[in-house]
Amino acid sequence: MIHSLFLINSAGDIFLEKHWKSVVSRSVCDYFFEAQEKAVDVENVPPVIPTPHHYLISIYQDKIFFVAVIQTEVPPLFVIEFLHRVVEMFRDYFGECSEAAIKENVVTVYELLEEMLDNGFPLATESNILKELIRPPTILRSVVNSITGSSNVGETLPTGQLSIIPWRRAEVKYTNNEAYFDVVEEIDAILDKSGSTVFAEIQGVIDASIKLSGMPDLTLSFMNPRLLDDVSFHPCVRFKRWESERVLSFIPPDGNFRLMDYQVSSQNLVAIPVYVNHNINFKESGSSGRFDVTVGLKQNMGKSVEGVIMTVHMPKVVLNMNLTPTQGTYTYDPVTKILTWDIGKINPQKVPNLKGVICLQSGAPKPEENPNLNIQFRIQQLAVSGIKVNRLDMFGEKYKPFKGVKYVTKAGKFQVRT
Amino acid sequence: MMLAIKEAATDLSPYVRKTAAHAIQKLYSLEPDQKEHLIEVIEKLLKDKSTLVAGSVVMAFEEVCPDRIDLIHKNYRKLCNLLVDVEEWGQVLIISMLTRYARTQFLSPWKQDEILEENCEQAFYGSDDERNNKNVPASKPYVMDPDHRLLLRNTKPLLQSRNTAVVMAVAQLYWHLAPRSEVSLVTKSLVRLLRSHREVQFIVLQNIATMSIQRKGMFEPYLKSFYVRSTDPTHIKTLKLEILTNLANGANISTVLREFQTYVKSQDKQFAAATIQAIGRCATNISEVTDTCLNGLVLLLSNRDETVVAESVVVIKKLLQTQPTQHSDIIKHMAKLLDNIAVPMARASIVWLIGEYCERVPKIAPDVLRKMAKVFTCEEEIVKLQTLNLAAKLYLTNAKQTKLLTQYILNLGKYDPNYDIRDRTRFIRQLIVPNEKSGALSKYAKKIFLAPKPAPVLESPFKDRDRFQLGTLSHTLNTKTSGYLELSDWPAVAPDQSVRNVEVVEPFTESTTLAGKVKAAKPDDAFYSGSGEEEASGSGNESSSSEESGSDSESGSDDEENGRKKSSSDSSSSSSSSSSSSGNESRSSQSESGSKKKNLKKKNPRKENKKSGKNESENDETTKRGSKTKTDSVSSESEESSSEKSSSSSESGSEPETDSDSGTDQKKQKPKPKKEETREAREKTTKQEVSLLDLDDFAPVSMAAAPRPAMLSPSLITDLEGLSLLNTSLTIDVTSPVYVPAKSHELLHRMSGKGLAAQYHFPRQPCIYSSDMVSVQVTLTNSGDQKVEDIHIGEKKLPSGLQIHDFNSIESLEPGASITVSMGINFNDSTQAANFQLCTKSDQFNVSIQPAVGELLLPVTMSEQDFRTQQGKLTGMNESAATISIAPENSSSRAIVHKVVTAANLGVVPSAEDRIHRFAAKTVKAADLVLVTVELKEASTAQLLINTEKTVIGSMLQRELKAVLSQG
């Protein structure tokens, strides 16, 4: 299985390595650097790279490459999924997964990696179990540890590992018992030149933050579960109940976790909350062009649209842009050629507009295609698919929990072709 | 070390045993000679029932002895049942191991694609004896092994896993093991994975690319999910492009090409070039668009970007080769381009093209040669080689004009720095220039150079990847990696399936003689198999019980059948004897009566004789009986298992003569309410059954078939519903249809069917094959003067989601005779037509069944109160209201009810108000409620209100009802 793991930062330095079997020389990463060089863009680095004796499987997260070295046949997704789990665990422990955070907590990092893989095979990947084994770092604890010389590795074997519900730790106690659910939906869409929808779909997740004592058994039901077309669950959800009754029945892990992912059936038409009028053209002769983009609300939404940001990847020949926004601020980075327009909240009365001149490199032929516009936005208190949580019931415990559900709609990969 | 591992492998704590399994492979890598001992430990650990251990020990197995398939036999069923509860990483390994195992142990389900018996199994959780029951009379050679089915069924829920590796593992398992009709189950899950991280996308897209070559239909509905975004990384873009190309067909090509047009303009030139290649492939694959594509590509030749132009030239060259006759103007156009294009590959392509078709452009070709001769020295090698070719070809066809030019070029080539070119020059000179030394070959020079060349096949680079198992590293890299284990081909003959039967030597059965102790083992068992068992519900009796008591269930029935001549203790031999003992009666009636006998001991023999006498009645009846057996076996599940337990307990102790009797007695002494209920229900159905069978003998088959199941099947369904574990909060029952219109539709006219005519109608009964299906009755009439032989359903061209359960094939139909067969179609709650081929021995006819929207419903009963509450939940988007005019003769309430139930299969909801009529139904597939309200207003208008989540069905129904009610 997984032989070794190298962490490589954006500068190309290997700043952490871990071997589960024998030590593999760092020079194996040269093949990776070679591929990286060839790919130009970090995004384009192939995830699987064969070398004469090893295979390198890498993921790129938070400006760090996680490169796993394997020697024999293994499903590549197995390794990729595991690496992503490692990243999640780092985020869970340190709040972020940056090079600085990893270097600061290097002891905990090694402890975690040691527990997560045994001889290259995943052992404990549940956050609840790991947290019992290795306590997350706090300031107080690190001070105490440095004075007494003790480590933050737990002495006892986590009880959850042996139980039939390995994701929940035992003896959880809270004074305030709360259960919160965030229903987050994303609209993925491609709009064509004329504004009509080429492709649109809604995908959603339900993230939960559960702080309940004991062993609560929760049941979450929807007003309209038929909307959900395809779902995937956290292992705690009883699939049988879902199949027969369309309710989510589960004993939750402690803390934050993703309860389910879903996809809304494609038959339902997706309501696109914003429209974009654009007029971008480059003059055939001379080194300039015009840029005029308006983002507006379609009136059918009752809620306000916030956090609207438009990013445009301009063609290489664009030197600079002189624009005037009626609302928000814009920046243009001449090196990466990325134009960002931060609009903020859209007021239905006033339609935001960004207008101005594009300066082109003189002498170069005009770009033949207009750049695509990527739009981000956020609508609070609305699930665009219309999904609604009906109720949450708790069994198995006596107290009354505090419950809450929040709905958010966001733009996912929302692209306007021009 | 060895001792420590052995010790740990027998530890009480599963965690220790798990660690021992991990230690095995560590020790193995340190000391390979210990292999034999380690295998012993693995064998022991494989028997472990803990979910914790399963994943680790399979990993050790894969590492140490992946070829020792024989170790798996006994644990196969256990592994399948535990699978759902194993931790996710273990699941991946177990699934891939079981995939390999299944390929060596089961017969290929692909040979008999048309048999859709799996559908009814899925619906009824059938066990293996019914399968025999169904198949043997139909003389179908392929029967899916129940263990094979078990694996497919138990892995299906894992498609919902959050772990992408698990989903992929299940997908590849279905791809390599499932019958063709079921593979598409995985599509949706795979498309879901495309939302994940870019690395996951990459791997999944690669696998989809391979799959989409072989099975277009699987991913066609999701075409739009593969549209490229400008923000995707290049390797993902090219993969998506690849998939789009694979999915393109005559129906969607215009959409695909429009999409490609956008891509060609992309800023990413590498991607634009790949798009042009894709267009070329579409053009060759789909002949209707070849010309359109070619014109589009010619337009691209005037593109400003060089790579785009070069790529277009190369693709056009390939396209022209496939049909060179009519395109001399394109060749001329390309000859002009030669001055501007600098990309060597493109130049070489143009030169080659002109050389190849020099006879079509006799004026231009020598001129091109002249130009090329001028710049010969500064060209790339590949262009030089093609120039030499052009010169040779022209010399052969048009020696008068080009002799000097050719000699000039050959001279230049002779002193070229590249040896390849010098070589070629020498070769060509010898071949074409006549001199005294030249051999016999020069006579054939023209034939050699101007031989017709086969057009290149533009095919997917993923074509050859299917030799690797999907989802593996080897597949991703398209090379064999170390440690890759080949997936073997299906065996020609199924290996003995009894090897997977577990003997009764499990620790808890051998130690007990007391019934009480056996009972104590029960909760234990339930704990281990957990939800896996729950899921297997019906088949649980087969899988879990056989786990503890071997093939007792079979042997039990068998023994009774033979008048209890055998003692039940020789259970191991009985499974084989059950097939051999079929004797004078056919196997279908045997297994049926076998299971029935267990339930209704004394009455049985008489009935059974009666039945076997009638056994040769036509197929229709047999299938129906198959479904009945299913209900029986499901409902008797609880008793069966308990009787088994008691029999296995008495088996070791008491005398064999009385064991099964005492077993049932014990059971009868402690009646449970549920059991009583099911027994009543069953007795009711069996009584009905008897009378029905009699009816069958007298009534003509064709039309009597319609009302009969209507009164029987709903009760079966409700019985089943009562038994299943789910308690739906709503009390909505499917009822028998209010009215069954006798109207039938034409499927195949006798003129076009060469004497064979077919009509179909909807009997409006719940389908016996699967609860998702609409049953359709097809009446086949032979109106010709020849006997029609072997009528069956051939190839199906179904939109995604649709499924057809075939009727059993009809061996022969005499002239003038007609026969009615029933089939099931899962329309997936849409009015898409189901297209399939109706085949006879000699002919194939394409036919299609298009359902009216009213036939996609099943009537339900509910109180007015319930109706109102349900209606309250289905407001807003789900409600559609319309004011309609009503013909005067329809204004009476009876007429309205009659009209509505004729048009659609709705159930009438009793109502207190006489101006308001309510109807309720649910859709067949998704079981969504459809509520219809007709409220009479003054004069001749009415308000029509339809509430349903399926808005499409709602609006179609509205239109239909509107038409019906307004007509006289």
Short mmCIF file of all heavy atoms in Angstrom, two decimals, chain B residues 454-493:
data_model
loop_
_atom_site.label_atom_id
_atom_site.label_comp_id
_atom_site.label_asym_id
_atom_site.label_seq_id
_atom_site.Cartn_x
_atom_site.Cartn_y
_atom_site.Cartn_z
N PRO B 454 -6.03 1.80 -47.15
CA PRO B 454 -7.20 1.77 -46.27
C PRO B 454 -7.27 3.06 -45.45
O PRO B 454 -6.24 3.60 -45.04
CB PRO B 454 -6.95 0.57 -45.37
CG PRO B 454 -5.48 0.39 -45.39
CD PRO B 454 -5.01 0.83 -46.74
N ALA B 455 -8.47 3.54 -45.28
CA ALA B 455 -8.64 4.76 -44.50
C ALA B 455 -8.28 4.50 -43.05
O ALA B 455 -8.55 3.43 -42.52
CB ALA B 455 -10.08 5.22 -44.59
N PRO B 456 -7.65 5.46 -42.43
CA PRO B 456 -7.30 5.26 -41.03
C PRO B 456 -8.57 5.23 -40.17
O PRO B 456 -9.55 5.90 -40.47
CB PRO B 456 -6.45 6.48 -40.71
CG PRO B 456 -6.91 7.52 -41.65
CD PRO B 456 -7.30 6.80 -42.90
N VAL B 457 -8.52 4.44 -39.16
CA VAL B 457 -9.65 4.39 -38.24
C VAL B 457 -9.35 5.36 -37.10
O VAL B 457 -8.34 5.22 -36.42
CB VAL B 457 -9.85 2.97 -37.70
CG1 VAL B 457 -11.13 2.90 -36.91
CG2 VAL B 457 -9.87 1.99 -38.84
N LEU B 458 -10.21 6.32 -36.95
CA LEU B 458 -10.00 7.25 -35.86
C LEU B 458 -10.66 6.66 -34.64
O LEU B 458 -11.88 6.56 -34.57
CB LEU B 458 -10.63 8.60 -36.19
CG LEU B 458 -10.07 9.31 -37.41
CD1 LEU B 458 -10.84 10.56 -37.68
CD2 LEU B 458 -8.61 9.63 -37.19
N GLU B 459 -9.88 6.25 -33.71
CA GLU B 459 -10.52 5.65 -32.55
C GLU B 459 -9.95 6.19 -31.26
O GLU B 459 -8.93 6.88 -31.23
CB GLU B 459 -10.44 4.13 -32.60
CG GLU B 459 -9.03 3.62 -32.61
CD GLU B 459 -9.04 2.11 -32.71
OE1 GLU B 459 -10.07 1.54 -33.11
OE2 GLU B 459 -8.02 1.52 -32.37
N SER B 460 -10.68 5.87 -30.26
CA SER B 460 -10.38 6.44 -28.95
C SER B 460 -9.05 5.91 -28.42
O SER B 460 -8.74 4.73 -28.55
CB SER B 460 -11.48 6.08 -28.00
OG SER B 460 -11.07 6.28 -26.70
N PRO B 461 -8.27 6.78 -27.78
CA PRO B 461 -7.06 6.28 -27.14
C PRO B 461 -7.37 5.38 -25.95
O PRO B 461 -6.48 4.77 -25.37
CB PRO B 461 -6.36 7.57 -26.68
CG PRO B 461 -7.42 8.62 -26.66
CD PRO B 461 -8.42 8.23 -27.69
N PHE B 462 -8.62 5.32 -25.56
CA PHE B 462 -8.98 4.48 -24.42
C PHE B 462 -9.42 3.09 -24.86
O PHE B 462 -9.88 2.30 -24.07
CB PHE B 462 -10.09 5.14 -23.60
CG PHE B 462 -9.56 6.24 -22.74
CD1 PHE B 462 -9.33 7.48 -23.25
CD2 PHE B 462 -9.24 5.98 -21.43
CE1 PHE B 462 -8.81 8.48 -22.46
CE2 PHE B 462 -8.72 6.96 -20.63
CZ PHE B 462 -8.51 8.22 -21.15
N LYS B 463 -9.31 2.87 -26.17
CA LYS B 463 -9.82 1.63 -26.72
C LYS B 463 -9.20 0.40 -26.05
O LYS B 463 -9.88 -0.56 -25.73
CB LYS B 463 -9.49 1.60 -28.21
CG LYS B 463 -10.22 0.54 -28.97
CD LYS B 463 -11.55 1.08 -29.45
CE LYS B 463 -12.33 -0.02 -30.14
NZ LYS B 463 -13.74 0.33 -30.23
N ASP B 464 -7.91 0.45 -25.86
CA ASP B 464 -7.26 -0.77 -25.39
C ASP B 464 -7.17 -0.85 -23.88
O ASP B 464 -6.60 -1.77 -23.34
CB ASP B 464 -5.85 -0.86 -26.00
CG ASP B 464 -5.03 0.35 -25.63
OD1 ASP B 464 -5.65 1.38 -25.28
OD2 ASP B 464 -3.79 0.28 -25.68
N ARG B 465 -7.74 0.10 -23.21
CA ARG B 465 -7.61 0.06 -21.76
C ARG B 465 -8.51 -0.97 -21.11
O ARG B 465 -8.36 -1.27 -19.95
CB ARG B 465 -7.94 1.42 -21.17
CG ARG B 465 -6.87 2.41 -21.47
CD ARG B 465 -6.76 3.47 -20.43
NE ARG B 465 -5.78 4.43 -20.87
CZ ARG B 465 -5.31 5.39 -20.13
NH1 ARG B 465 -5.73 5.53 -18.90
NH2 ARG B 465 -4.41 6.21 -20.59
N ASP B 466 -9.48 -1.43 -21.86
CA ASP B 466 -10.42 -2.34 -21.20
C ASP B 466 -9.79 -3.68 -20.86
O ASP B 466 -10.42 -4.51 -20.23
CB ASP B 466 -11.70 -2.51 -22.03
CG ASP B 466 -11.38 -2.95 -23.44
OD1 ASP B 466 -10.19 -3.14 -23.72
OD2 ASP B 466 -12.31 -3.09 -24.25
N ARG B 467 -8.54 -3.89 -21.28
CA ARG B 467 -7.91 -5.14 -20.86
C ARG B 467 -7.59 -5.12 -19.38
O ARG B 467 -7.35 -6.14 -18.76
CB ARG B 467 -6.67 -5.42 -21.69
CG ARG B 467 -5.57 -4.41 -21.50
CD ARG B 467 -4.61 -4.43 -22.68
NE ARG B 467 -3.89 -3.18 -22.76
CZ ARG B 467 -2.58 -3.07 -22.53
NH1 ARG B 467 -1.88 -4.13 -22.21
NH2 ARG B 467 -2.00 -1.90 -22.64
N PHE B 468 -7.56 -3.94 -18.79
CA PHE B 468 -7.28 -3.87 -17.36
C PHE B 468 -8.57 -3.74 -16.58
O PHE B 468 -9.56 -3.21 -17.07
CB PHE B 468 -6.39 -2.68 -17.04
CG PHE B 468 -5.04 -2.78 -17.64
CD1 PHE B 468 -4.65 -1.93 -18.65
CD2 PHE B 468 -4.15 -3.74 -17.19
CE1 PHE B 468 -3.39 -2.03 -19.21
CE2 PHE B 468 -2.90 -3.85 -17.75
CZ PHE B 468 -2.52 -2.99 -18.77
N GLN B 469 -8.50 -4.22 -15.36
CA GLN B 469 -9.65 -4.06 -14.48
C GLN B 469 -9.85 -2.58 -14.20
O GLN B 469 -8.89 -1.84 -13.96
CB GLN B 469 -9.35 -4.81 -13.18
CG GLN B 469 -10.52 -4.93 -12.27
CD GLN B 469 -10.19 -5.76 -11.05
OE1 GLN B 469 -9.13 -6.36 -10.96
NE2 GLN B 469 -11.10 -5.80 -10.11
N LEU B 470 -11.08 -2.14 -14.23
CA LEU B 470 -11.36 -0.72 -13.99
C LEU B 470 -10.94 -0.34 -12.58
O LEU B 470 -10.97 -1.16 -11.67
CB LEU B 470 -12.85 -0.44 -14.15
CG LEU B 470 -13.43 -0.42 -15.54
CD1 LEU B 470 -14.87 0.02 -15.46
CD2 LEU B 470 -12.67 0.51 -16.43
N GLY B 471 -10.59 0.91 -12.43
CA GLY B 471 -10.32 1.42 -11.10
C GLY B 471 -8.94 1.05 -10.58
O GLY B 471 -8.56 1.44 -9.48
N THR B 472 -8.15 0.32 -11.35
CA THR B 472 -6.84 -0.05 -10.86
C THR B 472 -5.79 0.94 -11.35
O THR B 472 -6.03 1.71 -12.27
CB THR B 472 -6.44 -1.45 -11.37
OG1 THR B 472 -6.47 -1.41 -12.79
CG2 THR B 472 -7.38 -2.50 -10.86
N LEU B 473 -4.65 0.87 -10.71
CA LEU B 473 -3.54 1.72 -11.11
C LEU B 473 -3.11 1.38 -12.54
O LEU B 473 -2.79 2.26 -13.33
CB LEU B 473 -2.38 1.52 -10.14
CG LEU B 473 -1.20 2.44 -10.28
CD1 LEU B 473 -1.63 3.88 -10.05
CD2 LEU B 473 -0.13 2.07 -9.29
N SER B 474 -3.15 0.10 -12.86
CA SER B 474 -2.75 -0.32 -14.21
C SER B 474 -3.64 0.33 -15.25
O SER B 474 -3.19 0.75 -16.31
CB SER B 474 -2.87 -1.83 -14.34
OG SER B 474 -2.15 -2.44 -13.33
N HIS B 475 -4.92 0.41 -14.94
CA HIS B 475 -5.85 1.02 -15.88
C HIS B 475 -5.52 2.49 -16.06
O HIS B 475 -5.52 3.02 -17.17
CB HIS B 475 -7.28 0.84 -15.38
CG HIS B 475 -8.29 1.54 -16.23
ND1 HIS B 475 -8.70 2.82 -15.98
CD2 HIS B 475 -8.93 1.14 -17.34
CE1 HIS B 475 -9.56 3.16 -16.91
NE2 HIS B 475 -9.73 2.18 -17.74
N THR B 476 -5.22 3.16 -14.98
CA THR B 476 -4.92 4.58 -15.04
C THR B 476 -3.69 4.84 -15.90
O THR B 476 -3.65 5.77 -16.69
CB THR B 476 -4.69 5.13 -13.63
OG1 THR B 476 -5.84 4.86 -12.86
CG2 THR B 476 -4.43 6.61 -13.65
N LEU B 477 -2.66 4.01 -15.71
CA LEU B 477 -1.41 4.23 -16.42
C LEU B 477 -1.37 3.53 -17.76
O LEU B 477 -0.49 3.79 -18.58
CB LEU B 477 -0.24 3.74 -15.57
CG LEU B 477 -0.05 4.48 -14.26
CD1 LEU B 477 0.95 3.75 -13.39
CD2 LEU B 477 0.40 5.89 -14.52
N ASN B 478 -2.31 2.62 -17.98
CA ASN B 478 -2.35 1.83 -19.19
C ASN B 478 -1.09 0.99 -19.38
O ASN B 478 -0.63 0.75 -20.49
CB ASN B 478 -2.59 2.72 -20.42
CG ASN B 478 -3.14 1.93 -21.58
OD1 ASN B 478 -3.59 0.79 -21.40
ND2 ASN B 478 -3.09 2.50 -22.76
N THR B 479 -0.50 0.60 -18.29
CA THR B 479 0.59 -0.38 -18.34
C THR B 479 0.39 -1.32 -17.17
O THR B 479 -0.26 -0.97 -16.20
CB THR B 479 1.97 0.26 -18.16
OG1 THR B 479 1.88 1.13 -17.04
CG2 THR B 479 2.46 0.99 -19.37
N LYS B 480 0.96 -2.47 -17.29
CA LYS B 480 0.80 -3.42 -16.21
C LYS B 480 1.72 -3.04 -15.06
O LYS B 480 2.92 -2.99 -15.22
CB LYS B 480 1.13 -4.82 -16.72
CG LYS B 480 0.53 -5.88 -15.90
CD LYS B 480 0.60 -7.22 -16.59
CE LYS B 480 0.07 -8.21 -15.64
NZ LYS B 480 0.75 -9.33 -15.27
N THR B 481 1.16 -2.76 -13.92
CA THR B 481 1.99 -2.42 -12.77
C THR B 481 2.36 -3.68 -12.02
O THR B 481 1.74 -4.72 -12.20
CB THR B 481 1.23 -1.50 -11.81
OG1 THR B 481 0.03 -2.16 -11.43
CG2 THR B 481 0.92 -0.18 -12.44
N SER B 482 3.39 -3.55 -11.19
CA SER B 482 3.79 -4.72 -10.43
C SER B 482 2.71 -5.07 -9.43
O SER B 482 2.11 -4.19 -8.81
CB SER B 482 5.10 -4.44 -9.71
OG SER B 482 4.92 -3.41 -8.77
N GLY B 483 2.45 -6.33 -9.32
CA GLY B 483 1.43 -6.77 -8.37
C GLY B 483 0.03 -6.72 -8.93
O GLY B 483 -0.93 -6.98 -8.22
N TYR B 484 -0.11 -6.39 -10.20
CA TYR B 484 -1.45 -6.38 -10.78
C TYR B 484 -1.90 -7.81 -11.03
O TYR B 484 -1.17 -8.62 -11.58
CB TYR B 484 -1.46 -5.60 -12.09
CG TYR B 484 -2.77 -5.65 -12.82
CD1 TYR B 484 -3.86 -4.94 -12.34
CD2 TYR B 484 -2.93 -6.42 -13.96
CE1 TYR B 484 -5.08 -4.98 -12.99
CE2 TYR B 484 -4.14 -6.47 -14.62
CZ TYR B 484 -5.21 -5.75 -14.14
OH TYR B 484 -6.41 -5.81 -14.79
N LEU B 485 -3.11 -8.09 -10.59
CA LEU B 485 -3.63 -9.44 -10.78
C LEU B 485 -4.67 -9.41 -11.88
O LEU B 485 -5.64 -8.66 -11.82
CB LEU B 485 -4.27 -9.93 -9.48
CG LEU B 485 -3.30 -10.04 -8.32
CD1 LEU B 485 -4.05 -10.11 -7.02
CD2 LEU B 485 -2.42 -11.25 -8.49
N GLU B 486 -4.45 -10.21 -12.89
CA GLU B 486 -5.37 -10.24 -14.02
C GLU B 486 -6.74 -10.72 -13.57
O GLU B 486 -6.86 -11.60 -12.73
CB GLU B 486 -4.84 -11.21 -15.08
CG GLU B 486 -3.60 -10.75 -15.79
CD GLU B 486 -3.90 -9.81 -16.93
OE1 GLU B 486 -5.08 -9.61 -17.23
OE2 GLU B 486 -2.93 -9.28 -17.51
N LEU B 487 -7.73 -10.13 -14.19
CA LEU B 487 -9.08 -10.62 -13.96
C LEU B 487 -9.29 -11.77 -14.92
O LEU B 487 -9.14 -11.62 -16.12
CB LEU B 487 -10.04 -9.48 -14.28
CG LEU B 487 -11.39 -9.46 -13.60
CD1 LEU B 487 -11.20 -9.48 -12.10
CD2 LEU B 487 -12.15 -8.25 -14.02
N SER B 488 -9.59 -12.92 -14.39
CA SER B 488 -9.70 -14.07 -15.29
C SER B 488 -11.00 -13.99 -16.09
O SER B 488 -11.91 -13.27 -15.74
CB SER B 488 -9.69 -15.36 -14.48
OG SER B 488 -10.81 -15.39 -13.65
N ASP B 489 -11.05 -14.74 -17.16
CA ASP B 489 -12.27 -14.81 -17.93
C ASP B 489 -13.28 -15.66 -17.18
O ASP B 489 -12.94 -16.43 -16.30
CB ASP B 489 -11.99 -15.42 -19.30
CG ASP B 489 -11.50 -14.37 -20.26
OD1 ASP B 489 -11.81 -13.19 -20.02
OD2 ASP B 489 -10.79 -14.74 -21.22
N TRP B 490 -14.52 -15.50 -17.59
CA TRP B 490 -15.55 -16.32 -16.96
C TRP B 490 -15.26 -17.78 -17.25
O TRP B 490 -14.81 -18.11 -18.35
CB TRP B 490 -16.92 -15.98 -17.52
CG TRP B 490 -17.37 -14.60 -17.26
CD1 TRP B 490 -17.30 -13.55 -18.13
CD2 TRP B 490 -17.96 -14.09 -16.08
NE1 TRP B 490 -17.82 -12.43 -17.53
CE2 TRP B 490 -18.23 -12.73 -16.28
CE3 TRP B 490 -18.29 -14.66 -14.85
CZ2 TRP B 490 -18.82 -11.93 -15.32
CZ3 TRP B 490 -18.88 -13.86 -13.90
CH2 TRP B 490 -19.13 -12.51 -14.13
N PRO B 491 -15.54 -18.66 -16.32
CA PRO B 491 -15.37 -20.08 -16.63
C PRO B 491 -16.46 -20.53 -17.58
O PRO B 491 -17.57 -19.99 -17.58
CB PRO B 491 -15.51 -20.75 -15.27
CG PRO B 491 -16.33 -19.81 -14.46
CD PRO B 491 -16.04 -18.43 -14.97
N ALA B 492 -16.14 -21.50 -18.41
CA ALA B 492 -17.12 -22.01 -19.36
C ALA B 492 -18.19 -22.82 -18.63
O ALA B 492 -19.36 -22.79 -18.95
CB ALA B 492 -16.44 -22.85 -20.42
N VAL B 493 -17.73 -23.56 -17.65
CA VAL B 493 -18.66 -24.37 -16.87
C VAL B 493 -18.54 -23.90 -15.43
O VAL B 493 -17.45 -23.66 -14.93
CB VAL B 493 -18.28 -25.86 -16.95
CG1 VAL B 493 -19.30 -26.69 -16.19
CG2 VAL B 493 -18.18 -26.28 -18.40
#
